Amino acid sequence: MAAPLEMTSESAAPEAILEGVGGQAIEGRSLGKIAWLRLKRDKVAIGGGIFILFLIVVAIVGPFLVQNPNIYHPNLINPTLSRPNGTLGGVSLAHPLGVEPVTGRDMLARVVNGARVSLLIAFLATALAVGIGTVMGVVAGYSGGWIDTIIARLMDIFLAFPLLVFAIAPFGLSGNGLRISLLIFIIGFFAWPYMGRIIRGQTLSLREREFVDAARSLGARGPYILFRELLPNLWGPILVYATLLIPTNILFEAALSYLGVGIIPPQPTWGGMLSDAVTNGFYQIDPMYMIIPGFAIFLTVLAFNLFGDGLRDALDPRSSR
């Protein structure tokens, strides 16, 4: 059974064909189409979404189109000052974003390859947190009683763990493949309580609705109600919170790389580039080496936040009032 969702004054009967004046057929709009129409009117959110799609394409295809990020170009470096020749960090047609101080490695290649690592960790960690949090939140909210109490206390315990301490654990492990896997697991596994609390609250509200009572009266059991009645009505908050959790994970991965406990060099990461700029003093001889990865992190986080805010307003217009 589908939940009887509320319709606003600007919506029509979902996917229905109504008879209008003069006998002309009028096609109704579903709640999904209405949300899409609202989202399209938010130009800022659409701009953020377009940038996110562009960033995903760059992370997937970009590393095959740019130079090798680990090739040195010592001929492009001033041997006396150890900084790139020319202005703006050695910008040229061959190196549109300039080169790295001391080594002369191409900045565009390093930023593009760093985007792949950052997005991979952020997306997979978010998927893990959303998956665990959704299941635990739905079960806790629907079951109530001692099950709800145990899961709620479990959330409190996980939220009390010092995440940074657990994230530093992979520092002694060799190999970026293992480090990436552990970072994804640690970030996602300790972030699920945030999603769990939101879904639990939504489920507590939905379980008292008429469509749930109707399903029970027809003999539907708990698993059917959980995953066929409640879960489809939770996609809105799940999508919204996921888009807002991704930038948080990007910043956390960048912070770990900045602290030197993230991905092992020479694999480029945005946080690692910022760390090199500070620890090696590159920002003093070439400020662009610090500005470029910092600006990449800023634009990415901003795009996800703008798109997440617009998606929330589109799915729940009351939240923007």
Side-chain angles (χ1 to χ4, degrees), residues 55-316:
L55 192 66
I56 293 173
V57 172
V58 167
I60 296 175
V61 182
F64 301 102
L65 303 178
V66 297
Q67 305 177 26
N68 187 324
N70 297 318
I71 293 181
Y72 288 18
H73 300 90
N75 58 305
L76 301 178
I77 302 298
N78 186 310
T80 303
L81 302 177
S82 298
R83 67 184 181 187
N85 296 319
T87 59
L88 298 177
V91 172
S92 64
L93 291 177
H95 306 281
L97 295 182
V99 296
E100 183 182 59
V102 179
T103 64
R105 292 181 291 188
D106 184 66
M107 284 292 293
L108 177 61
R110 296 187 66 76
V111 170
V112 168
N113 280 270
R116 169 178 285 188
V117 175
S118 296
L119 291 184
L120 176 66
I121 293 176
F123 274 100
L124 293 183
T126 300
L128 179 61
V130 168
I132 298 176
T134 299
V135 173
M136 299 294 278
V138 169
V139 171
Y142 178 75
S143 302
W146 64 270
I147 296 179
D148 183 25
T149 301
I150 291 177
I151 295 179
R153 297 294 77 76
L154 190 63
M155 293 179 186
D156 294 336
I157 293 173
F158 272 87
L159 290 174
F161 271 102
L163 178 57
L164 186 61
V165 174
F166 283 89
I168 294 176
F171 180 68
L173 300 174
S174 61
N176 274 330
L178 184 56
R179 282 200 177 198
I180 291 176
S181 300
L182 282 174
L183 284 174
I184 292 171
F185 174 76
I186 291 172
I187 295 174
F189 188 69
F190 286 93
W192 74 262
Y194 299 100
M195 173 64 74
R197 283 187 166 183
I198 293 174
I199 299 304
R200 175 181 173 272
Q202 295 287 330
T203 305
L204 287 172
S205 175
L206 288 174
R207 74 176 185 178
E208 306 299 332
R209 300 285 292 275
E210 292 81 1
F211 69 94
V212 176
D213 294 334
R216 289 197 194 99
S217 66
L218 293 175
R221 297 182 179 275
Y224 179 90
I225 296 176
L226 284 175
F227 298 103
R228 297 296 298 275
E229 299 290 347
L230 294 176
L231 191 57
N233 289 279
L234 294 170
W235 282 116
I238 290 173
L239 290 175
V240 169
Y241 188 74
T243 59
L244 297 176
L245 185 59
I246 290 173
T248 301
N249 292 338
I250 291 176
L251 288 174
F252 190 76
E253 183 277 327
L256 290 177
S257 296
Y258 179 81
L259 293 173
V261 293
I263 306 304
I264 304 174
Q267 172 65 49
T269 62
W270 292 343
M273 295 171 69
L274 289 176
S275 177
D276 290 341
V278 175
T279 57
N280 297 325
F282 290 164
Y283 70 95
Q284 296 178 338
I285 60 176
D286 181 20
M288 294 301 296
Y289 184 70
M290 186 174 187
I291 292 174
I292 291 175
F295 196 60
I297 295 174
F298 169 76
L299 287 180
T300 302
V301 173
L302 179 63
F304 274 105
N305 284 331
L306 292 176
F307 182 72
D309 288 341
L311 187 62
R312 179 191 59 199
D313 295 340
L315 293 172
D316 184 11

